[in-house]
Amino acid sequence: MKVIEAKNITKVYNADKVPVNALRGVSFSVDKGEFTAIVGPSGCGKSTLLNIVGGLDSPSEGEITIDGKDLSNLKENKLIDFRLNKIGFVFQSYNLIPVLTAKENISLIMELQGLSKKARDDRAMELLKAVGLEGKEHKKPSELSGGQQQRVAVARALASEPSFILADEPTANLDSVSTNNLLDIMAEMNREKGTTFIFSTHDQRVINKARRVIKLDDGLIVSDDNMVLNP
Amino acid sequence: MLFTIAWRNVWRQKVRSLVIIGAMVVGLWGLIFAIGFMSGFMDSYLSNALKYEYSHIQVHHPDFKQDQEIKYNIKQGIKKVAEIVTDTNVKAATHRTIVNAMIGSAKASSGVKVLGVDSLLEKEVTSFDQLITDGTYFKSVKRNPLLIGEKLAEKLKVKLRSKIVLTFQNLEGEIVSEAFRVAGIFNAKSPILNETVVMVNFRDINKNLGDKNLVSEIAVYLNDVDKIEESQEAISSILPDYRVEKWDKLAPELSLIVQQSKTNVFILVTIFMTALIFGIINTMLMAVLERIKELGMLMAIGMNRIKVFTMIIIETIFLGLVACPVGLFLGHLTISYFNGNGFDLSDYSQGLEKFGYETVIYPIISGNHYFMLSMGIFITTIVASIYPALKAIKLKPAEALRKI
Ligand SMILES: Nc1ncnc2c1ncn2[C@@H]1O[C@H](COP(=O)(O)OP(=O)(O)O)[C@@H](O)[C@H]1O
Ligand SMILES: [Mg+2]
C-alpha cells in the first residue's frame, strides 16, 4: 500500500525575484513500512521535499498524494488537522516545548487529537519506555541531552499514530553515540510496529542504516536504491 | 494544556513579565488612589453643599426663580411643610421667607439676601447652627436677632450685638426698615452664603411684609437620596401648582462639578489603559518573536491557528490576572488607610476653603469602580494581545522552522 505518491514535483522559491529551483521534477512513492533515507549534499532540496511531502509547503507544480488524498486541494486549517492525524514530525532542533516536561510534550499532541487524560498518560509512559527514557518523564527539555530530546521527539511523533514519520536531519546535532542510539530506536519501531520512516541526512553512518536510499542532487533524484539486507 | 503552556510561558522571561505586571500594579494602585481621592473630594464638597445650603429638594412659586420677589410666594406654606414631613423619607423640612434688602451698619451698607427662618426647623434641615463661629444661634439677643457671615460682618465692620438696619419693600411696595442685632457670626462653606446672606427669625421679618405667614421657599432634607424621585413626586402632589426641584436643578454648578469629576476619572482611566495597551503589545510581541521556531513547530505538528491564537491571548490575560488583584489590593489598602485617617491638605487649605472645600479629604471608592477597573484591565489585555496573536498565526510553519 502506498502512503506517499509524488508526481513531478517542482519547487521554485522567489519566483518573481531571483528564482531558486529547489526541486526540478521529483517523482517517487513510498510504501507502508519503509525505512527510507533521502540523502544528498546541503542545499540539494531535502528539506524542501520533506516539507512538501509533510504538507508544510506546497509544490510549485506537480501532485502530492498522502494516503490516497490529494494535498493540493486542502485549505490551511484542514491541512493542519491532516498533519496532526496522518504525519509525525521530527525536526533537526526545536522539536519540544521548553516549558513542558517530556511527558507533557508527548501528551500535547494526543490532547490536540482529543484523547482522554488517562489514554494520554498511559501512552506517553509507554512511549517514553520504548525510547529508553523511563524515569525522565518529568524532565524539561533543558534538563535532557540532545540525544534524549530527539528521542522524546520521536516518541511524540509516534504518539499520534501517524501513517508515517518525517524526520529532517534528526541526527544533525547529535554525537555518534546518540546518533546510533536514535537510529536503532527508529529501526526497532519500524521492525516491530511497522512504522514508516522517511528521514533526510548527509551522514554516511545514518545512510548505512537505511533500507532504501533516495539520492538527491540539485533538485533531482539521481539514484533510488532498495537495499535487500537489513543492517 | 493551553493554560499550562500559557501560564509557564508567562514565567519564562521572569523579569520582562514582572516589569509589565509591575507597571499594571503601580498604574492600578495610582488610579484607585486618584479616583478615591477625587470621589472623596467630591463627596465632601457635595454633601456639604447639600447639607448646609441647598438641601435635597426645594419648592418655589413658578415665577420665583426669574424674579425673587415676595409676591411670588407659596400659599399656606407652613401647613404644607407639616404635610411634607409625614413622608417617611423626609428627614426634615422647613419654610423660609426670602427678601432682598439693603443692609446698613453704623459704618457701611450693602445689598443682601435676607432669609427669614424658623430657627428650630432650619437647623434640622441645614444644620446651620453648626456653622456659628462666634455668638449663638439666635439665642443671645432677645429682640430681632440676626446671623451674619464672617465676610459680610468684616465688610460692614460689625461685631456681636452690633445694631444693623435692614431696608426692604413690603407686599404693597412700601419701603420698610427694621433694626436687628447680631446674635451670631457664621462661617459657611459657600462664599455666597458668607458674603451675601443674613438670617433672621421668620416672624421678625414677616411682621413687616404685610402677610405674617408669607413663605417664599420650602426646603426638604431626605433620609435616602436614592429615593429622591419618589419624594419629589410626593411633594409635587402636595404642592401641585408650584415648582418642586431636586438639588441638581437648583444648583446646576454642583451637578456640573460631579459630572466633570466623572469625566476626569474616565480620562485618567483611558490614558492609563492606552499606555498599558502599548506596553503589553511590546511585551507580547517580544514573546512571540523570540518563539517563532517553537510556534512554527506547534503549527507543523498540528496545533491549529485558533489554538495558537488562544494560547497567546491566555498568556496575556494571565499577566493582567496576576497584576489586577495585587493592584486592587494595594489600592484598597491605601484608600482604607486614608479613609480612616483622612488625607490632610491643610498646606493648600487657604485656597481650598475659599471655594468651599474641606481641607481633610477622606478618599472613598465604590465597588463599582473596582469592577470597572478590573474589566478595563481585562479588556485592555485582550485588545493588546490581538496584534501579537495575529502575528503568531500569520507564521508559515515551513518558514518559521527554517529561521535560525
Ligand atoms: N524559503 C526559501 N527561499 C529561498 N530559497 C530557499 C528557501 N528555502 C530553501 N531555499 C533554497 O532552496 C535550495 C534547497 O534548500 P533545502 O531544501 O533547504 O536543501 P537541504 O535541506 O537539502 O539542505 C537551497 O538552494 C536553498 O538555499
Ligand atoms: Mg535541510
Side-chain angles (χ1 to χ4, degrees):
Chain A
M1 201 186 108
K2 291 202 187 334
V3 287
I4 302 171
E5 241 194 312
K7 277 189 208 144
N8 227 344
I9 303 290
T10 67
K11 179 69 182 179
V12 185
Y13 289 112
N14 291 334
D16 41 355
K17 294 175 211 156
V18 189
V20 178
N21 290 293
L23 295 174
R24 302 188 292 161
V26 172
S27 301
F28 73 108
S29 61
V30 175
D31 282 332
K32 195 153 184 49
E34 280 193 21
F35 198 66
T36 295
I38 299 195
V39 307
S42 187
C44 70
K46 303 182 295 291
S47 295
T48 305
L49 183 60
L50 286 184
N51 283 346
I52 289 172
V53 170
L56 294 174
D57 207 348
S58 51
S60 303
E61 273 172 63
E63 210 172 89
I64 180 92
T65 315
I66 304 290
D67 263 359
K69 193 161 183 95
D70 185 356
L71 288 195
S72 56
N73 301 325
L74 287 183
K75 285 254 166 3
E76 181 61 30
N77 274 335
K78 282 264 188 298
L79 208 52
I80 291 179
D81 269 354
F82 189 82
R83 291 201 295 264
L84 174 63
N85 294 307
K86 293 285 183 187
I87 308 170
F89 288 93
V90 179
F91 304 102
Q92 185 179 325
S93 55
Y94 293 96
N95 270 297
L96 306 176
I97 303 282
V99 295
L100 295 182
T101 63
K103 188 175 143 198
E104 287 167 337
N105 264 289
I106 299 171
S107 281
L108 175 63
I109 197 154
M110 294 184 273
E111 188 180 320
L112 293 175
Q113 286 181 314
L115 263 68
S116 72
K117 171 110 174 66
K118 173 93 174 64
R120 296 193 316 250
D121 282 355
D122 290 352
R123 186 155 168 75
M125 291 309 288
E126 189 185 303
L127 286 163
L128 276 167
K129 194 173 163 192
V131 298
L133 290 174
E134 224 178 351
K136 305 271 189 208
E137 59 267 25
H138 296 307
K139 296 268 188 251
K140 297 265 177 73
S142 58
E143 299 163 324
L144 297 171
S145 72
Q148 290 170 332
Q149 289 180 33
Q150 290 303 72
R151 272 141 69 189
V152 175
V154 170
R156 198 261 324 273
L158 286 164
S160 61
E161 303 194 305
S163 299
F164 58 89
I165 291 177
L166 293 176
D168 191 3
E169 307 215 28
T171 62
N173 295 341
L174 302 185
D175 59 37
S176 57
V177 175
S178 305
T179 299
N180 266 327
N181 193 319
L182 188 72
L183 260 292
D184 288 346
I185 285 167
M186 285 163 59
E188 191 185 320
M189 295 290 167
N190 174 258
R191 256 195 327 270
E192 287 175 7
K193 303 260 158 71
T195 314
T196 312
F197 277 93
I198 299 116
F199 50 94
S200 71
T201 185
H202 54 253
D203 181 341
Q204 192 55 46
R205 289 164 306 179
V206 176
I207 299 171
N208 290 340
K209 305 235 175 190
R211 283 209 308 262
R212 177 185 174 193
V213 177
I214 298 173
K215 198 171 265 172
L216 271 186
D217 196 10
D218 200 13
L220 284 171
I221 294 181
V222 292
S223 73
D224 187 346
D225 301 321
N226 245 313
M227 321 287 170
V228 185
L229 262 177
N230 206 5
Chain B
M1 208 173 295
L2 283 187
F3 284 91
T4 314
I5 300 177
W7 175 250
R8 291 189 196 160
N9 274 337
V10 167
W11 302 110
R12 205 157 147 185
Q13 294 278 350
K14 281 199 191 66
V15 174
R16 189 173 65 207
S17 294
L18 285 175
V19 165
I20 191 76
I21 289 170
M24 285 195 239
V25 168
V26 171
L28 265 179
W29 187 5
L31 269 184
I32 288 172
F33 186 71
I35 293 172
F37 190 82
M38 282 199 270
S39 307
F41 205 69
M42 273 336 298
D43 260 27
S44 73
Y45 181 67
L46 188 63
S47 65
N48 274 341
L50 294 182
K51 186 175 173 197
Y52 297 118
E53 193 172 353
Y54 292 101
S55 319
H56 294 125
I57 292 175
Q58 289 186 8
V59 187
H60 300 102
H61 187 280
D63 294 327
F64 181 80
K65 205 169 196 173
Q66 265 179 349
D67 212 348
Q68 297 201 356
E69 288 190 43
I70 49 177
K71 65 179 178 196
Y72 300 128
N73 52 51
I74 302 169
K75 297 260 162 337
Q76 308 229 288
I78 300 173
K79 256 197 202 148
K80 298 292 181 186
V81 168
E83 247 179 88
I84 288 168
V85 290
T86 58
D87 181 344
T88 50
N89 193 34
V90 171
K91 185 163 172 264
T94 190
H95 53 274
R96 294 179 188 135
T97 322
I98 298 175
V99 181
N100 288 308
M102 281 298 294
I103 186 167
S105 67
K107 304 254 165 62
S109 68
S110 168
V112 78
K113 186 156 132 182
V114 181
L115 297 187
V117 304
D118 178 311
S119 62
L120 290 178
L121 291 179
E122 186 63 36
K123 70 175 187 194
E124 296 304 314
V125 175
T126 55
S127 316
F128 214 86
D129 54 330
Q130 294 171 17
L131 300 179
I132 304 296
T133 52
D134 200 5
T136 63
Y137 180 68
F138 290 116
K139 283 216 177 80
S140 47
V141 171
K142 277 244 165 61
R143 218 180 96 80
N144 288 353
L146 176 143
L147 306 179
I148 187 168
E150 278 176 359
K151 276 277 150 59
L152 188 57
E154 219 170 275
K155 196 166 144 192
L156 298 175
K157 301 192 171 65
V158 294
K159 299 189 294 248
L160 286 181
R161 308 201 57 82
S162 294
K163 191 178 146 190
I164 269 175
V165 176
L166 296 176
T167 309
F168 46 91
Q169 284 187 319
N170 67 14
L171 274 171
E172 257 88 71
E174 299 158 353
I175 306 288
V176 201
S177 284
E178 179 80 26
F180 290 81
R181 223 173 257 286
V182 176
I185 293 176
F186 62 81
N187 181 11
K189 299 289 168 193
S190 151
I192 298 179
L193 282 185
N194 273 347
E195 287 168 38
T196 65
V197 171
V198 293
M199 241 182 224
V200 299
N201 272 320
F202 184 77
R203 58 181 183 290
D204 295 342
I205 184 95
N206 275 39
K207 70 186 178 211
N208 296 300
L209 294 177
D211 176 358
K212 64 181 176 40
N213 289 324
L214 184 140
V215 171
S216 314
E217 174 175 280
I218 294 175
V220 182
Y221 200 77
L222 300 177
N223 287 314
D224 182 0
V225 189
D226 292 337
K227 292 189 190 140
I228 192 165
E229 317 278 343
E230 287 97 311
S231 296
Q232 186 191 18
E233 257 177 56
I235 295 168
S236 290
S237 67
I238 294 170
L239 290 154
D241 299 329
Y242 297 93
R243 193 198 288 260
V244 179
E245 287 172 307
K246 294 184 294 182
W247 66 267
D248 53 349
K249 272 279 165 51
L250 294 166
E253 79 278 7
L254 275 189
S255 61
L256 203 72
I257 290 173
V258 171
Q259 204 52 51
Q260 184 60 43
S261 102
K262 281 182 182 160
T263 311
N264 287 349
V265 167
F266 182 77
I267 291 172
L268 261 184
V269 171
T270 309
I271 291 173
F272 167 67
M273 297 291 171
T274 309
L276 193 57
I277 283 184
F278 288 104
I280 296 175
I281 287 181
N282 182 50
T283 301
M284 288 312 292
L285 213 51
M286 266 153 78
V288 165
L289 293 181
E290 72 190 9
R291 252 184 255 153
I292 284 186
K293 283 209 166 206
E294 199 177 311
L295 292 166
M297 183 273 293
L298 278 171
M299 289 194 260
I301 67 168
M303 184 178 277
N304 65 35
R305 301 197 154 159
I306 298 170
K307 292 210 167 88
V308 174
F309 192 85
T310 313
M311 189 173 77
I312 303 290
I313 305 254
I314 295 172
E315 190 173 327
T316 321
I317 292 176
F318 275 145
L319 291 173
L321 231 46
V322 172
C324 208
V326 180
L328 292 188
F329 180 71
L330 288 177
H332 186 73
L333 275 190
T334 314
I335 294 286
S336 304
Y337 174 80
F338 283 114
N339 186 266
N341 298 298
F343 191 87
D344 197 347
L345 285 176
S346 43
D347 285 352
Y348 321 91
S349 68
Q350 267 165 348
L352 286 171
E353 271 183 330
K354 215 164 156 180
F355 294 103
Y357 292 111
E358 292 280 353
T359 54
V360 179
I361 304 296
Y362 296 89
I364 187 165
I365 190 160
S366 65
N368 220 356
H369 276 123
Y370 288 128
F371 177 75
M372 184 190 83
L373 287 173
S374 308
M375 285 314 288
I377 289 280
F378 186 68
I379 291 166
T380 303
T381 49
I382 289 185
V383 169
S385 63
I386 288 175
Y387 179 66
L390 282 177
K391 206 73 178 169
I393 61 167
K394 281 221 183 85
L395 294 173
K396 297 225 167 64
E399 283 169 25
L401 282 163
R402 205 181 277 273
K403 288 232 169 65
I404 298 155

